[in-house]
Amino acid sequence: MTYNFTLKATFAAGALALAATTAQAAELRAWNIHVEDYPNSIALESFAAEVAEKTGGEITMKIFHNGVLGSQPDAIEQVRLGALDVANFNLGPMGTSVPETNVVSLPFIFPSIPAMYKLMDGEAGDAISAGMEKKGIKALAWYDSGARSFYNSIRPINSPADVEGLKLRVMNNDLFVGMVEALDGNATPMAFGEVYQSIKTGVVDGAENNPPSYESVSHYEVAQFYSLTEHLIIPECVCISTKAWGAMTPEQQEIVKTAARNSAEQQRELWQAREASALEAVKAGGVTVNTIADKGPFQERMSAVYDGFLEANPDLADLVNLIRNAE
Ligand code: BDP
């Protein structure tokens, strides 16, 4: 017994010493789905550089761009498990693991982009972070992802009737399936990396995304009608696994958090410019871009999506109302 106890105590002391060492030096592995010149990628590199500099090289970060470490739904699970350390995630595909994030996946919920910034940097962002943290993901800052609109290879969309029968790829989340079905389209959840080929071969007719993503991975080449429905404004997190976070000293945590926030400021600025240049680029590439004169009919169709969501998640009604009723 005594022997056993001593052995355990020695082991525990050893483990503590090891934890203390890892708290001082770590190379974090970071997941990113975007091409290297994307606003998010540039901002993530700035984040990594600031962390390395301010920690005197104790914490460094290797960022894997272009989704080479796998699809977003898989990467979310990897961060939760601590197998991946850092990531820039859109909150859309996080809904299956973190119910609170689903609130920002409700169509037309944010009244505007400035309102989204204010809400995410305040009470709504705090409520969503708390939900994420319970599931092993710590949100450090929020990136802009603009507004998502439909694109397809068949026809421009001006009213819900134009969506009828279109096969559209959506991000992995039943809410987006419900959204497309409420417009009488057919939704196919699919990984981002498979969309180009799927449109090209006619597996789907189109998809929906913001201008920078529509342009950066060439979806516009195979789906030349881009209709500015702007039905989803879904923010993105720069996040870290609670495992990697817990292994840091409080000083290191402060540095990491500040650097992530600084990178979000940079990302938001770069985003505005990239959105404008992406739209110009796709037009030059032969895309017909149309605005929607009246989004009302699209919004009305979403009442079924809201009703279903609130019925299944009554505890999230306050958060829904906080966002929906913001100025
Ligand atoms: C982009 C997001 C990215 C998503 C992608 C998608 O930045 O995180 O994976 O859309 O549609 O806008 O899957």
Side-chain angles (χ1 to χ4, degrees):
M1 281 297 273
T2 324
Y3 173 74
N4 223 342
F5 174 77
T6 318
L7 196 69
K8 267 193 200 148
T10 314
F11 178 75
L16 269 182
L18 195 71
T21 326
T22 43
Q24 313 234 320
E27 188 186 37
L28 306 178
R29 282 171 13 113
W31 179 94
N32 174 32
I33 204 160
H34 294 294
V35 295
E36 267 144 78
D37 73 347
Y38 205 80
N40 306 28
S41 313
I42 296 168
L44 284 170
E45 290 290 354
S46 304
F47 171 43
E50 184 174 333
V51 168
E53 192 204 314
K54 299 259 170 70
T55 61
E58 282 172 1
I59 298 182
T60 54
M61 222 180 282
K62 167 117 187 74
I63 303 166
F64 295 85
H65 301 290
N66 295 303
V68 293
L69 293 184
S71 74
Q72 186 146 193
D74 288 347
I76 291 170
E77 288 314 302
Q78 298 285 308
V79 170
R80 290 190 58 195
L81 295 169
L84 270 172
D85 306 302
V86 169
N88 160 218
F89 289 136
N90 185 281
L91 296 186
M94 209 182 276
T96 42
S97 325
V98 185
E100 289 83 353
T101 61
N102 269 328
V103 171
V104 295
S105 289
L106 288 166
F108 300 106
I109 191 158
F110 284 107
S112 66
I113 299 280
M116 182 272 284
Y117 284 165
K118 211 167 143 199
L119 285 156
M120 292 308 289
D121 293 337
E123 210 183 322
D126 290 346
I128 292 169
S129 315
M132 288 168 61
E133 205 157 337
K134 277 192 270 172
K135 299 294 170 72
I137 305 178
K138 182 167 178 64
L140 298 166
W142 306 109
Y143 281 7
D144 193 354
S145 196
R148 299 173 73 98
S149 293
F150 290 113
Y151 47 90
N152 74 89
S153 60
I154 315 275
R155 56 179 173 254
I157 294 169
N158 285 291
S159 72
D162 299 322
V163 181
E164 193 178 333
L166 289 180
K167 288 179 284 177
L168 299 169
R169 175 269 177 175
V170 291
M171 288 190 284
N172 233 55
N173 187 327
D174 288 347
L175 271 178
F176 306 136
V177 174
M179 171 186 83
V180 168
E181 285 177 351
L183 297 167
D184 296 325
N186 302 315
T188 309
M190 186 188 288
F192 187 53
E194 289 166 27
V195 181
Y196 177 87
Q197 204 56 27
S198 299
I199 300 177
K200 194 174 178 178
T201 56
V203 171
V204 292
D205 301 316
E208 47 89 58
N209 220 315
N210 50 49
S213 281
Y214 174 52
E215 182 260 338
S216 68
V217 283
S218 306
H219 292 179
Y220 72 95
E221 289 174 8
V222 287
Q224 295 237 305
F225 295 104
Y226 193 45
S227 306
L228 301 177
T229 44
E230 299 178 325
H231 52 274
L232 288 172
I233 292 178
I234 310 181
E236 308 201 352
C237 66
V238 186
C239 35
I240 185 161
S241 76
T242 48
K243 193 174 165 197
W245 181 253
M248 289 176 191
T249 64
E251 294 73 28
Q252 291 172 334
Q253 289 178 340
E254 197 49 45
I255 291 171
V256 167
K257 195 162 196 172
T258 306
R261 292 197 173 161
N262 290 340
S263 84
E265 267 178 41
Q266 181 193 22
Q267 191 272 349
R268 292 174 187 188
E269 261 182 51
L270 291 172
W271 184 262
Q272 304 302 325
R274 180 68 180 236
E275 236 174 4
S277 66
L279 266 182
E280 287 315 309
V282 299
K283 283 183 195 160
V287 168
T288 307
V289 178
N290 70 285
T291 52
I292 308 290
D294 180 11
K295 290 185 193 155
F298 290 90
Q299 288 164 334
E300 281 155 27
R301 293 277 190 110
M302 295 306 134
S303 60
V305 176
Y306 276 77
D307 291 350
F309 181 75
L310 289 169
E311 203 174 302
N313 302 278
D315 52 318
L316 293 175
D318 287 350
L319 189 53
V320 168
N321 289 330
L322 174 73
I323 299 179
R324 194 160 48 169
N325 302 330
E327 298 282 302

